Amino acid sequence: MAASELVPELGWAGVSTRLLAQRAGVAPGLVHYHFSSLHALLREAVLEVMRELLGQLATRLEQTDSLDAGLDVILGSVGACTDRDPTSLLFAEAYLAAARDEQMREALAALLTDLRRTVAHWLNRHSHPTPDHTALVLAAALDGLLLHRALDPGLTPARVAPVLRRLLHLHGDE
């Protein structure tokens, strides 16, 4: 918990063993006793938060009864995210870390694959003609929306919803 709080506050590189131990209320040696490195601990803490959030999204998506209701769930998952909220910053830091850490890259790639698979399953359940391709675009749009909001806080889910709704309701050769 302490690691996943510190990463958004200080950035990946700003977290030290001393700060982490202090926040967690443990001795610094205990951090290294349980993890091979500070980086390994940060990786696992951040991935755990991401797994939990994506799992919640998957559960809520499977409970929807239409494409539009599902899109509302997807867009709602980023609706509360802003350019400075801890979740957005955590995701951004994770993506940056993945550019330098092969284990993080592989773990994030697996999470994205699971997300796309979940979205494709949901689309297929609602008889979308191209569930796999559309899931890929929706996942990329979700990531893009989070990243772009850091630069343009006015870019809200409501602004992109009409375009994504058209995408969901396209039928034909794609």
Side-chain angles (χ1 to χ4, degrees), residues 2-86:
S4 60
E5 292 172 355
L6 285 169
V7 168
E9 288 176 27
L10 304 172
W12 199 277
V15 179
S16 67
T17 302
R18 183 185 59 74
L19 284 171
L20 178 62
Q22 184 179 22
R23 175 71 61 95
V26 299
L30 193 58
V31 172
H32 291 292
Y33 179 78
H34 289 287
F35 292 91
S36 61
S37 68
L38 175 64
H39 193 74
L41 184 150
L42 294 177
R43 182 186 323 116
E44 189 51 43
V46 168
L47 288 169
E48 182 59 34
V49 169
M50 294 177 83
R51 281 185 205 103
E52 182 180 328
L53 292 171
L54 292 175
Q56 290 171 6
L57 175 61
T59 299
R60 291 183 58 222
L61 194 57
E62 285 303 313
Q63 296 170 348
T64 63
D65 59 1
S66 70
L67 290 174
D68 288 323
L71 182 60
D72 290 342
V73 166
I74 291 169
L75 292 175
S77 70
V78 296
C81 297
T82 66
D83 60 329
R84 298 282 178 234
D85 76 275

Side-chain angles (χ1 to χ4, degrees), residues 128 134 137-138 162-171 174:
H128 193 279
T134 305
V137 171
L138 282 174
V163 175
L164 294 177
R165 283 192 203 292
R166 285 193 298 273
L167 172 72
L168 287 180
H169 294 289
L170 282 176
H171 296 283
E174 297 176 43

Side-chain angles (χ1 to χ4, degrees), residues 135-151:
L136 183 119
V137 171
L138 282 174
L142 187 64
D143 281 343
L145 183 57
L146 283 170
L147 291 172
H148 285 238
R149 284 187 80 181
L151 303 173

